[in-house]
Amino acid sequence: MDYLPMFAKLEGRPVLLVGGGEVALRKARLLLAAGARLTLVSPEIEPEFAEFTGRFTHLAERFTPAHLAGQILVVAATDNLEVNALVYQSANQLGLFVNVVDDPKRSSFIFPSIIDRSPLMVAVSSGGKAPVLVRLLRERLESLLPRHLGGLAELSGRVRDKAKRVLSSIADRRRFWERAFASNTLASLIEKADWQGAEQWLNEGLDKAQTEVGEVVLVGAGPGDPGLLTLKALQQIQQAEVVLYDQLVSAEILDLVRRDATLVSVGKKAGAHSVPQEETNRLLVEYAKAGNRVVRLKGGDPFMFGRGGEELEVLADEGIPFSVVPGITAAAGATAYAGIPLTHRDYAQSAVFITGHCQQNGQKEGKEPDWQQLASTNQTLVIYMGLMRSEHIQQQLVEHGRNQATPIAIIERGTTARQRVLTGTLTELAELAAQAVSPSLIVIGEVVALRERLAWFGENGGEQPRDNPDFDGCDLKLVQLA
């Protein structure tokens, strides 16, 4: 750590600024905004300093070490290297914090890039090493942090003492504030400047906080690449107090969960359901009824061949509030990273998603799908968890008229650093499947031939396998996108 970030209270404190040009003007604005008692030393100053008339003392003379007497902070903002060096040396001898603009080696403190939502302040710095990067980060943060955050911080300060009295434990207070800050109702009141209504809403929330049940958010983690998480998914996993996750959720995504959250593996993958679904349902209900903000984190999209709907039915029966954050399903993510468009005007006018995953609990298999429909041309078949039934799928498609020379691809660990794509024809499906590892996605259709021209993601350019989550049923279920 090159610098210790800290916020200095300068209101009414003496600060010396050496220089009178445009750079000095920018520093003066910052220091005066912080309430500093500013003395400016410079033979000449920019006309724009007139906007601060009466708010600072101007000494129209050259800097001497005597000007440092009684100051607590010093800024050198001249274009004269000798003057800047003298300011630095003199301040150092007196043990004063000094900043020489654009000269980190001669600065014992630096001005960070500031996002001002007073009283909430965010500061970003690279220690002078990458100012352009810092500027880009500041622009990004400015767009992410709504303007009403400052008013929200002021309001919470007024209610804080009551929260301490009503909610005795730190965990209960943290949970209350997190829910309040995430509330659309509170945000709407503040955006309308209805401060009285917002304070009343917070006080009413405190009165019933101890008896409130928690909530569950069903979140899709996407196909593997953490960069494919939606912004809302990231926000939810960083606000969660408890996260129940599947084995197909990568370590990189789990690293984004807040450090003090409880992580519970309810891992599922093909042939290895380590936690029964009934136990997962029970845990969701138990954690939510204890007042927790729970995230149920699933690979891919939680409603695409998953048990998201089943889990929500349980929550609905128990009267537990819930919401859903969709994720990028493997069919969309893995094919995009493999350079295979699902549809194309010249090759495929629709895409059909199916799953060949069989139940392993001895139950009777479901009915066979309409193979005649699946064997139609001008459509793309995307098969989740089809490796184990690849020979059966190949046989049925060929018998029902799909051309044996139809291009196919098997995408292993799509969108991750270990992505591998095996290509061939329909007659080679079973053979190629025997060489593949799970999780894999099978793509059948003329669009696969476009991979040769459209592949853009190297075989070593993603993250961790994030194929499909926990779906169920031996029958091939269909979802058609026309």
Side-chain angles (χ1 to χ4, degrees), residues 255-322:
D255 281 343
L256 299 173
V257 176
R258 53 188 271 182
R259 297 297 179 217
D260 58 343
T262 300
L263 284 168
V264 181
S265 173
V266 288
K268 295 181 177 67
K269 63 180 179 180
H273 284 207
S274 59
V275 177
Q277 184 61 47
E278 293 74 16
E279 176 64 9
T280 300
N281 296 345
R282 186 191 67 78
L283 288 171
L284 285 172
V285 172
E286 180 180 300
Y287 280 115
K289 285 192 172 181
N292 293 291
R293 186 182 183 91
V294 183
V295 161
R296 175 68 173 100
L297 190 60
K298 290 173 168 284
D301 178 87
F303 280 179
M304 183 62 72
F305 301 130
R307 287 185 165 179
E310 296 176 35
E311 292 173 358
L312 294 189
E313 286 184 298
V314 172
L315 298 174
D317 290 342
E318 295 287 339
I320 295 172
F322 59 81

Side-chain angles (χ1 to χ4, degrees), residues 63-79:
F63 170 80
T64 68
H67 288 124
L68 298 175
Q71 306 296 326
I72 66 163
L73 205 67
V74 186
V75 179
T78 80
D79 56 5

Side-chain angles (χ1 to χ4, degrees), residues 141-155:
L141 289 170
E142 284 278 8
S143 67
L144 292 177
L145 300 176
R147 291 286 169 182
H148 69 252
L149 283 180
L152 185 58
E154 290 278 9
L155 178 62

Side-chain angles (χ1 to χ4, degrees), residues 111-115 122-126 131 134-135 137-139 141:
F111 285 91
S113 188
I114 297 171
I115 298 93
V122 179
V124 183
S125 172
S126 66
V134 169
R135 177 174 59 79
L137 278 173
R138 180 195 170 190
E139 291 172 358
L141 289 170

Side-chain angles (χ1 to χ4, degrees), residues 148 152 155-156 158-159 162-163 175-190 192 194-209 212 215 293:
H148 69 252
L152 185 58
L155 178 62
S156 64
R158 295 199 296 271
V159 182
K162 179 178 179 179
R175 184 178 300 129
F176 167 76
W177 286 117
E178 286 176 349
R179 289 181 182 173
F181 293 153
S183 168
N184 290 329
T185 302
L186 182 61
S188 177
L189 290 169
I190 291 174
K192 292 185 291 188
D194 184 0
W195 302 109
Q196 183 177 353
E199 189 164 351
Q200 180 180 345
W201 185 88
L202 279 175
N203 284 318
E204 290 174 353
L206 275 172
D207 293 337
K208 60 182 180 181
E212 245 181 13
E215 63 179 325
R293 186 182 183 91

